[in-house]
Amino acid sequence: TQLLEQSPQFLSIQEGENLTVYCNSSSVFSSLQWYRQEPGEGPVLLVTVVTGGEVKKLKRLTFQFGDARKDSSLHITAAQPGDTGLYLCAGSSNDYKLSFGAGTTVTVRA
Amino acid sequence: NAGVTQTPKFQVLKTGQSMTLQCAQDMNHEYMSWYRQDPGMGLRLIHYSVGAGITDQGEVPNGYNVSRSTTEDFPLRLLSAAPSQTSVYFCASSYTINYNEQFFGPGTRLTVL
């Protein structure tokens, strides 16, 4: 059973469209991270959120941490082919273990 | 800095064989961990270490051993390979587990026949 549930599992959109990926859990996390992984490589950190209700922006990417620190979302505005990849959320609960969601595969068509 | 390095990149084993996946980091990180990644399941924690001489089990530790004799190295040993261990293995390191960026290696793709 996945501690963190990500949805959707797959997302295919046209260049210029917007998309949102969700990460939900019944557990409270002290921090939540989003990573992007490209084929044949390890995940690379995009952002860490630590405060309930926190919103962080990274160029066209907007990350939000839920008020109760149980859920998060990643919104991409005007997606580009370079945004294609596997997006993973990961939560930490102060027990030295990082739990990952199953990931959302995003494909942006030119 | 080389970051996190893993060897080998690819490996094929027969059932029952043993092997060691190597992981090294040159960032003086205290925390290191091993994950396996299977389709549709994200990354699952196998073992982790919060410093030299200290290791602990993660979510899926059975069939794997680790040791941490130095800050830099964190090898993962498969004692008797099984087809269920066919996966992509990632090593990661960070200054601490909380709030800190996990740096991942490039992965080892293991196939057990």
Side-chain angles (χ1 to χ4, degrees), chain A residues 1-2 9 30-31 33 35 37 40-45 48 50 86 88 92-98 100-103, chain B residues 9 31 35 37 40-45 48 50 56-59 90 97-107 109:
Chain A
T1 301
Q2 211 77 36
Q9 186 176 1
S30 58
S31 67
Q33 298 177 330
Y35 290 80
Q37 184 180 19
E41 300 180 6
V44 176
L45 182 71
T48 300
V50 300
L86 176 66
L88 296 157
S92 171
S93 302
N94 290 326
D95 61 355
Y96 300 111
K97 297 178 184 178
L98 197 60
F100 280 83
Chain B
K9 182 73 172 174
Y31 185 91
Y35 295 88
Q37 186 173 34
M41 301 190 73
L43 289 107
R44 291 183 291 169
L45 182 65
Y48 65 96
V50 300
D56 206 344
Q57 296 181 350
E59 181 184 355
F90 289 99
I97 182 57
N98 290 322
Y99 320 131
N100 272 265
E101 176 177 3
Q102 294 284 308
F103 292 84
F104 283 85
R109 183 173 294 274

Side-chain angles (χ1 to χ4, degrees), chain A residues 6-11 86 103-106, chain B residues 40:
Chain A
Q6 283 189 241
S7 61
Q9 186 176 1
F10 299 97
L11 195 54
L86 176 66
T104 296
T105 299
V106 172

Side-chain angles (χ1 to χ4, degrees), chain B residues 36 46-47 57-65 77 79 84-85:
Chain B
R36 59 177 290 173
I46 304 172
H47 285 285
Q57 296 181 350
E59 181 184 355
V60 288
N62 292 341
Y64 308 95
N65 274 357
R77 297 182 186 84
L79 308 174
S84 60
Q85 293 179 304

Side-chain angles (χ1 to χ4, degrees), chain B residues 23-90:
Chain B
C23 174
Q25 53 91 10
D26 60 359
M27 297 172 283
N28 202 33
H29 287 168
E30 289 297 323
Y31 185 91
M32 295 186 74
S33 54
W34 276 102
Y35 295 88
R36 59 177 290 173
Q37 186 173 34
D38 302 292
M41 301 190 73
L43 289 107
R44 291 183 291 169
L45 182 65
I46 304 172
H47 285 285
Y48 65 96
S49 169
V50 300
I54 306 170
T55 64
D56 206 344
Q57 296 181 350
E59 181 184 355
V60 288
N62 292 341
Y64 308 95
N65 274 357
V66 292
S67 60
R68 184 94 180 271
S69 56
T70 67
T71 299
E72 294 78 21
D73 300 298
F74 191 43
L76 177 72
R77 297 182 186 84
L78 279 71
L79 308 174
S80 177
S84 60
Q85 293 179 304
T86 293
S87 187
V88 182
Y89 292 85
F90 289 99

